[in-house]
Amino acid sequence: MEQTRPGTATAVAPTRLADVDALRGFAMFGILTVNITYLASAYHGTGVDEPGFGSPLDTGVRAVVALLFEAKFFLLFSFLFGYGFTLQLESAERHGARFTPRFLRRLAGLFALGVLHAVLLFPGDILTTYAALGLILLALHRIRPRTAVRTAVALLAVTATAYLLLALALRGADGGDPAAAAADAQRATEALRGGFGSVVGAHLDQLPDVLFLLVFFQAPAALAAFLLGLAAGRHRALADLARHERPLRRLQAVGFPLGLLGAAVYTWSALGHPGPAAQVFALGVDVVTAPLLAAAYAATVLRLAGGRHGRRLVALLAPPGRMTLTNYLTQSLVCVLLFTGVGAGLVGRVAPAGVALIGVALFAAQVVFCRRWLARHPYGPVEWLLRALTTLSRPRRHGAAGADPGAGGPRRPLS
């Protein structure tokens, strides 16, 4: 993500904002916390409980993940995608570069990585969705900020209304056969405990259901977040956070109570396994309230980054935030090696608390790795590859991109 220093001419060289990198790193932790629950259990999201893990601790961990993490952090990351899009566009204009071909190559690279990721590592891939929605973002790149916000709000409202109408239509509908759902989950578990071909086959079997979820739930919400990020980027909303202290406080004051209320409805639906009408109703509520909770999270992280201990927070989260693509793919690869038959075959054998601890440990390891890698390299490995495809040039491999994010200077020059 590129940015110019506030109060300077646009000719000044673009720089990174470390607190925004920290926000992106925080989003990556939340995404990992959610994704690892699906990678560790074929029962997650099926509407039936996983056998052997029904203790109060297991239920409590599932409730915390559903309440505080699920369906929130991909929105935060989507917002940052839209924000970064505007800055990439303006950087290309400053340097006289042709933005559209470069961005199309970037989207093509994301799509290719996403297809490989979905088939080989994790069917719940988001990169292909981002690549498809990126085309819409490119078509709307000249939209006015106010129109972008109104379009985003309308998109969320229409999506939520569609879910609520569908919930009304499903009143009294049969919730399906729990025994059949449990049998399907057990078959998926056994397939994931097999060899490489068996694991890929299990992923391919899951893709139709995942595609349905992406198209009708995640994609509309992600596009709305793209547009909100685009509007924020036009106004440089994250460039000088000291000027936005009051709006950040308002986001917390509104986002936490309303967002948590909607998240409670979503959690009840996820863990209580009500009928299909109640589940669809909960999704409709979540479409409206999850963006509020995501915004409150973002406001909290940004305020902390500008506070007394902000340097430490930024030093912790900014490095993984600069290597999100590498970290996203690595997280799935490590989980495949841990949970499928390609590696240790632990799928369905680790309690929810253990899964959560594995996620924390994996992210901590990535924090250490990213700090060391970025001390010697300007880009993460996969970021380097995508940049090479985008620019059709060979980016430099060595040399840290400026100062440590937590060491006094929050901005680092980019090449």
Short mmCIF file of all heavy atoms in Angstrom, two decimals, residues 178-220:
data_model
loop_
_atom_site.label_atom_id
_atom_site.label_comp_id
_atom_site.label_asym_id
_atom_site.label_seq_id
_atom_site.Cartn_x
_atom_site.Cartn_y
_atom_site.Cartn_z
N PRO A 178 -29.98 -34.77 10.08
CA PRO A 178 -28.69 -34.64 10.78
C PRO A 178 -27.81 -35.88 10.63
O PRO A 178 -26.59 -35.76 10.55
CB PRO A 178 -29.11 -34.42 12.23
CG PRO A 178 -30.51 -33.90 12.17
CD PRO A 178 -31.12 -34.57 10.98
N ALA A 179 -28.43 -37.05 10.60
CA ALA A 179 -27.64 -38.28 10.47
C ALA A 179 -26.91 -38.31 9.13
O ALA A 179 -25.74 -38.72 9.05
CB ALA A 179 -28.54 -39.50 10.62
N ALA A 180 -27.59 -37.88 8.07
CA ALA A 180 -26.95 -37.84 6.76
C ALA A 180 -25.83 -36.83 6.72
O ALA A 180 -24.76 -37.07 6.14
CB ALA A 180 -27.99 -37.54 5.68
N ALA A 181 -26.05 -35.66 7.34
CA ALA A 181 -25.01 -34.64 7.39
C ALA A 181 -23.79 -35.13 8.16
O ALA A 181 -22.64 -34.90 7.77
CB ALA A 181 -25.56 -33.36 8.02
N ALA A 182 -24.05 -35.85 9.27
CA ALA A 182 -22.94 -36.39 10.05
C ALA A 182 -22.17 -37.44 9.26
O ALA A 182 -20.93 -37.51 9.33
CB ALA A 182 -23.47 -36.98 11.36
N ALA A 183 -22.90 -38.26 8.51
CA ALA A 183 -22.24 -39.29 7.70
C ALA A 183 -21.38 -38.65 6.61
O ALA A 183 -20.27 -39.11 6.33
CB ALA A 183 -23.29 -40.21 7.08
N ASP A 184 -21.90 -37.59 5.98
CA ASP A 184 -21.11 -36.88 4.96
C ASP A 184 -19.84 -36.28 5.57
O ASP A 184 -18.77 -36.33 4.97
CB ASP A 184 -21.95 -35.77 4.34
CG ASP A 184 -23.05 -36.30 3.45
OD1 ASP A 184 -22.97 -37.48 3.03
OD2 ASP A 184 -24.00 -35.54 3.17
N ALA A 185 -19.97 -35.70 6.77
CA ALA A 185 -18.80 -35.11 7.43
C ALA A 185 -17.78 -36.18 7.78
O ALA A 185 -16.56 -35.96 7.67
CB ALA A 185 -19.24 -34.36 8.68
N GLN A 186 -18.25 -37.36 8.21
CA GLN A 186 -17.32 -38.43 8.55
C GLN A 186 -16.60 -38.94 7.30
O GLN A 186 -15.39 -39.23 7.34
CB GLN A 186 -18.06 -39.58 9.24
CG GLN A 186 -17.17 -40.71 9.72
CD GLN A 186 -16.08 -40.25 10.67
OE1 GLN A 186 -16.31 -39.37 11.50
NE2 GLN A 186 -14.89 -40.81 10.54
N ARG A 187 -17.32 -39.05 6.19
CA ARG A 187 -16.67 -39.46 4.94
C ARG A 187 -15.63 -38.44 4.52
O ARG A 187 -14.54 -38.80 4.04
CB ARG A 187 -17.72 -39.65 3.84
CG ARG A 187 -18.51 -40.94 3.93
CD ARG A 187 -19.28 -41.22 2.65
NE ARG A 187 -20.34 -40.22 2.46
CZ ARG A 187 -21.58 -40.36 2.93
NH1 ARG A 187 -21.91 -41.43 3.62
NH2 ARG A 187 -22.49 -39.43 2.69
N ALA A 188 -15.95 -37.17 4.67
CA ALA A 188 -14.96 -36.13 4.33
C ALA A 188 -13.75 -36.22 5.23
O ALA A 188 -12.61 -36.03 4.78
CB ALA A 188 -15.62 -34.75 4.45
N THR A 189 -13.97 -36.52 6.51
CA THR A 189 -12.85 -36.67 7.44
C THR A 189 -11.92 -37.80 7.01
O THR A 189 -10.70 -37.65 7.00
CB THR A 189 -13.38 -36.93 8.87
OG1 THR A 189 -14.18 -35.83 9.29
CG2 THR A 189 -12.23 -37.12 9.84
N GLU A 190 -12.50 -38.93 6.67
CA GLU A 190 -11.68 -40.07 6.23
C GLU A 190 -10.92 -39.73 4.95
O GLU A 190 -9.76 -40.13 4.78
CB GLU A 190 -12.57 -41.30 6.02
CG GLU A 190 -13.22 -41.81 7.29
CD GLU A 190 -12.19 -42.18 8.36
OE1 GLU A 190 -11.12 -42.69 7.99
OE2 GLU A 190 -12.47 -41.95 9.55
N ALA A 191 -11.57 -39.01 4.03
CA ALA A 191 -10.89 -38.63 2.79
C ALA A 191 -9.72 -37.69 3.08
O ALA A 191 -8.65 -37.82 2.47
CB ALA A 191 -11.87 -37.97 1.83
N LEU A 192 -9.91 -36.77 4.00
CA LEU A 192 -8.83 -35.83 4.34
C LEU A 192 -7.68 -36.51 5.07
O LEU A 192 -6.56 -36.00 5.07
CB LEU A 192 -9.39 -34.69 5.20
CG LEU A 192 -10.31 -33.72 4.47
CD1 LEU A 192 -11.02 -32.78 5.45
CD2 LEU A 192 -9.54 -32.90 3.44
N ARG A 193 -7.95 -37.65 5.67
CA ARG A 193 -6.88 -38.41 6.33
C ARG A 193 -6.13 -39.30 5.36
O ARG A 193 -5.17 -39.96 5.74
CB ARG A 193 -7.46 -39.27 7.47
CG ARG A 193 -7.92 -38.45 8.67
CD ARG A 193 -8.60 -39.33 9.70
NE ARG A 193 -9.08 -38.54 10.85
CZ ARG A 193 -9.89 -39.01 11.79
NH1 ARG A 193 -10.33 -40.28 11.71
NH2 ARG A 193 -10.27 -38.23 12.78
N GLY A 194 -6.55 -39.31 4.10
CA GLY A 194 -5.88 -40.13 3.10
C GLY A 194 -4.67 -39.43 2.50
O GLY A 194 -4.17 -38.43 3.04
N GLY A 195 -4.22 -39.95 1.37
CA GLY A 195 -3.06 -39.39 0.71
C GLY A 195 -3.39 -38.14 -0.07
O GLY A 195 -4.51 -37.60 -0.01
N PHE A 196 -2.42 -37.67 -0.86
CA PHE A 196 -2.55 -36.41 -1.57
C PHE A 196 -3.76 -36.42 -2.50
O PHE A 196 -4.56 -35.48 -2.52
CB PHE A 196 -1.28 -36.13 -2.36
CG PHE A 196 -1.34 -34.88 -3.18
CD1 PHE A 196 -1.21 -33.64 -2.60
CD2 PHE A 196 -1.54 -34.94 -4.56
CE1 PHE A 196 -1.29 -32.47 -3.35
CE2 PHE A 196 -1.60 -33.79 -5.33
CZ PHE A 196 -1.48 -32.55 -4.71
N GLY A 197 -3.94 -37.49 -3.27
CA GLY A 197 -5.07 -37.57 -4.20
C GLY A 197 -6.40 -37.56 -3.48
O GLY A 197 -7.36 -36.95 -3.95
N SER A 198 -6.47 -38.24 -2.34
CA SER A 198 -7.69 -38.27 -1.57
C SER A 198 -8.02 -36.89 -1.01
O SER A 198 -9.19 -36.47 -1.00
CB SER A 198 -7.55 -39.28 -0.41
OG SER A 198 -8.71 -39.30 0.39
N VAL A 199 -7.00 -36.16 -0.58
CA VAL A 199 -7.21 -34.82 -0.04
C VAL A 199 -7.71 -33.88 -1.13
O VAL A 199 -8.67 -33.12 -0.92
CB VAL A 199 -5.91 -34.29 0.59
CG1 VAL A 199 -6.03 -32.81 0.95
CG2 VAL A 199 -5.54 -35.10 1.82
N VAL A 200 -7.09 -33.93 -2.31
CA VAL A 200 -7.54 -33.09 -3.42
C VAL A 200 -8.97 -33.44 -3.81
O VAL A 200 -9.79 -32.55 -4.08
CB VAL A 200 -6.59 -33.23 -4.62
CG1 VAL A 200 -7.16 -32.53 -5.85
CG2 VAL A 200 -5.21 -32.66 -4.29
N GLY A 201 -9.29 -34.73 -3.81
CA GLY A 201 -10.66 -35.14 -4.12
C GLY A 201 -11.65 -34.59 -3.11
O GLY A 201 -12.75 -34.16 -3.48
N ALA A 202 -11.29 -34.59 -1.83
CA ALA A 202 -12.17 -34.03 -0.80
C ALA A 202 -12.37 -32.54 -1.02
O ALA A 202 -13.47 -32.01 -0.84
CB ALA A 202 -11.58 -34.30 0.58
N HIS A 203 -11.30 -31.84 -1.39
CA HIS A 203 -11.42 -30.41 -1.67
C HIS A 203 -12.36 -30.15 -2.84
O HIS A 203 -13.19 -29.24 -2.80
CB HIS A 203 -10.04 -29.81 -1.96
CG HIS A 203 -9.15 -29.77 -0.76
ND1 HIS A 203 -7.80 -29.49 -0.86
CD2 HIS A 203 -9.39 -29.97 0.56
CE1 HIS A 203 -7.27 -29.53 0.34
NE2 HIS A 203 -8.21 -29.82 1.22
N LEU A 204 -12.22 -30.95 -3.89
CA LEU A 204 -13.08 -30.77 -5.06
C LEU A 204 -14.54 -31.04 -4.72
O LEU A 204 -15.44 -30.38 -5.25
CB LEU A 204 -12.62 -31.69 -6.19
CG LEU A 204 -11.25 -31.35 -6.81
CD1 LEU A 204 -10.84 -32.41 -7.83
CD2 LEU A 204 -11.29 -29.97 -7.47
N ASP A 205 -14.79 -32.01 -3.82
CA ASP A 205 -16.16 -32.31 -3.41
C ASP A 205 -16.77 -31.14 -2.65
O ASP A 205 -17.99 -30.91 -2.71
CB ASP A 205 -16.18 -33.56 -2.53
CG ASP A 205 -15.94 -34.83 -3.34
OD1 ASP A 205 -16.12 -34.80 -4.57
OD2 ASP A 205 -15.56 -35.85 -2.72
N GLN A 206 -15.93 -30.40 -1.91
CA GLN A 206 -16.44 -29.28 -1.10
C GLN A 206 -16.64 -28.01 -1.91
O GLN A 206 -17.37 -27.11 -1.48
CB GLN A 206 -15.46 -28.99 0.04
CG GLN A 206 -15.31 -30.11 1.06
CD GLN A 206 -14.24 -29.81 2.08
OE1 GLN A 206 -14.06 -28.67 2.49
NE2 GLN A 206 -13.51 -30.84 2.47
N LEU A 207 -16.01 -27.91 -3.05
CA LEU A 207 -16.02 -26.65 -3.80
C LEU A 207 -17.41 -26.16 -4.19
O LEU A 207 -17.68 -24.95 -4.11
CB LEU A 207 -15.14 -26.78 -5.05
CG LEU A 207 -13.63 -26.63 -4.82
CD1 LEU A 207 -12.87 -26.81 -6.12
CD2 LEU A 207 -13.32 -25.27 -4.20
N PRO A 208 -18.36 -27.00 -4.62
CA PRO A 208 -19.69 -26.46 -4.97
C PRO A 208 -20.36 -25.75 -3.79
O PRO A 208 -20.93 -24.67 -3.97
CB PRO A 208 -20.47 -27.71 -5.40
CG PRO A 208 -19.41 -28.65 -5.89
CD PRO A 208 -18.24 -28.43 -4.99
N ASP A 209 -20.30 -26.36 -2.59
CA ASP A 209 -20.91 -25.71 -1.42
C ASP A 209 -20.18 -24.42 -1.08
O ASP A 209 -20.81 -23.40 -0.72
CB ASP A 209 -20.88 -26.65 -0.22
CG ASP A 209 -21.82 -27.84 -0.39
OD1 ASP A 209 -22.78 -27.72 -1.18
OD2 ASP A 209 -21.58 -28.88 0.25
N VAL A 210 -18.86 -24.43 -1.19
CA VAL A 210 -18.08 -23.24 -0.89
C VAL A 210 -18.39 -22.14 -1.90
O VAL A 210 -18.52 -20.97 -1.54
CB VAL A 210 -16.57 -23.57 -0.89
CG1 VAL A 210 -15.73 -22.30 -0.79
CG2 VAL A 210 -16.24 -24.52 0.26
N LEU A 211 -18.51 -22.51 -3.17
CA LEU A 211 -18.81 -21.54 -4.21
C LEU A 211 -20.15 -20.87 -3.95
O LEU A 211 -20.30 -19.65 -4.13
CB LEU A 211 -18.81 -22.22 -5.58
CG LEU A 211 -19.06 -21.31 -6.79
CD1 LEU A 211 -17.98 -20.25 -6.91
CD2 LEU A 211 -19.14 -22.14 -8.07
N PHE A 212 -21.13 -21.64 -3.52
CA PHE A 212 -22.44 -21.08 -3.20
C PHE A 212 -22.33 -20.04 -2.09
O PHE A 212 -22.90 -18.95 -2.16
CB PHE A 212 -23.40 -22.20 -2.79
CG PHE A 212 -24.79 -21.73 -2.44
CD1 PHE A 212 -25.75 -21.58 -3.42
CD2 PHE A 212 -25.12 -21.44 -1.12
CE1 PHE A 212 -27.03 -21.14 -3.11
CE2 PHE A 212 -26.40 -20.99 -0.80
CZ PHE A 212 -27.35 -20.85 -1.79
N LEU A 213 -21.57 -20.37 -1.03
CA LEU A 213 -21.38 -19.44 0.08
C LEU A 213 -20.66 -18.18 -0.37
O LEU A 213 -21.04 -17.06 0.02
CB LEU A 213 -20.58 -20.13 1.19
CG LEU A 213 -20.22 -19.26 2.40
CD1 LEU A 213 -21.47 -18.85 3.16
CD2 LEU A 213 -19.26 -20.01 3.33
N LEU A 214 -19.64 -18.34 -1.22
CA LEU A 214 -18.88 -17.18 -1.68
C LEU A 214 -19.74 -16.24 -2.51
O LEU A 214 -19.71 -15.02 -2.34
CB LEU A 214 -17.67 -17.65 -2.50
CG LEU A 214 -16.53 -18.33 -1.75
CD1 LEU A 214 -15.49 -18.85 -2.73
CD2 LEU A 214 -15.89 -17.38 -0.76
N VAL A 215 -20.53 -16.80 -3.42
CA VAL A 215 -21.30 -15.97 -4.34
C VAL A 215 -22.43 -15.24 -3.62
O VAL A 215 -22.68 -14.05 -3.86
CB VAL A 215 -21.86 -16.83 -5.49
CG1 VAL A 215 -22.85 -16.04 -6.32
CG2 VAL A 215 -20.72 -17.34 -6.36
N PHE A 216 -23.12 -15.94 -2.71
CA PHE A 216 -24.33 -15.36 -2.12
C PHE A 216 -24.12 -14.75 -0.74
O PHE A 216 -25.04 -14.12 -0.22
CB PHE A 216 -25.43 -16.43 -2.06
CG PHE A 216 -25.91 -16.85 -3.41
CD1 PHE A 216 -25.49 -18.04 -3.98
CD2 PHE A 216 -26.78 -16.04 -4.13
CE1 PHE A 216 -25.92 -18.42 -5.24
CE2 PHE A 216 -27.23 -16.41 -5.38
CZ PHE A 216 -26.79 -17.61 -5.94
N PHE A 217 -22.96 -14.92 -0.15
CA PHE A 217 -22.73 -14.32 1.17
C PHE A 217 -21.47 -13.47 1.19
O PHE A 217 -21.52 -12.26 1.42
CB PHE A 217 -22.65 -15.41 2.24
CG PHE A 217 -22.44 -14.85 3.63
CD1 PHE A 217 -23.46 -14.21 4.30
CD2 PHE A 217 -21.22 -14.97 4.26
CE1 PHE A 217 -23.29 -13.69 5.57
CE2 PHE A 217 -21.02 -14.46 5.54
CZ PHE A 217 -22.06 -13.81 6.20
N GLN A 218 -20.33 -14.08 0.92
CA GLN A 218 -19.08 -13.34 1.05
C GLN A 218 -18.88 -12.30 -0.05
O GLN A 218 -18.43 -11.19 0.23
CB GLN A 218 -17.89 -14.30 1.07
CG GLN A 218 -17.67 -14.98 2.41
CD GLN A 218 -16.30 -15.62 2.50
OE1 GLN A 218 -15.81 -16.20 1.54
NE2 GLN A 218 -15.71 -15.55 3.68
N ALA A 219 -19.20 -12.63 -1.28
CA ALA A 219 -18.92 -11.71 -2.39
C ALA A 219 -19.65 -10.38 -2.26
O ALA A 219 -19.03 -9.32 -2.41
CB ALA A 219 -19.24 -12.38 -3.73
N PRO A 220 -20.96 -10.34 -2.00
CA PRO A 220 -21.62 -9.03 -1.85
C PRO A 220 -21.03 -8.21 -0.72
O PRO A 220 -20.83 -6.99 -0.84
CB PRO A 220 -23.08 -9.40 -1.59
CG PRO A 220 -23.25 -10.77 -2.15
CD PRO A 220 -21.94 -11.45 -1.93
#
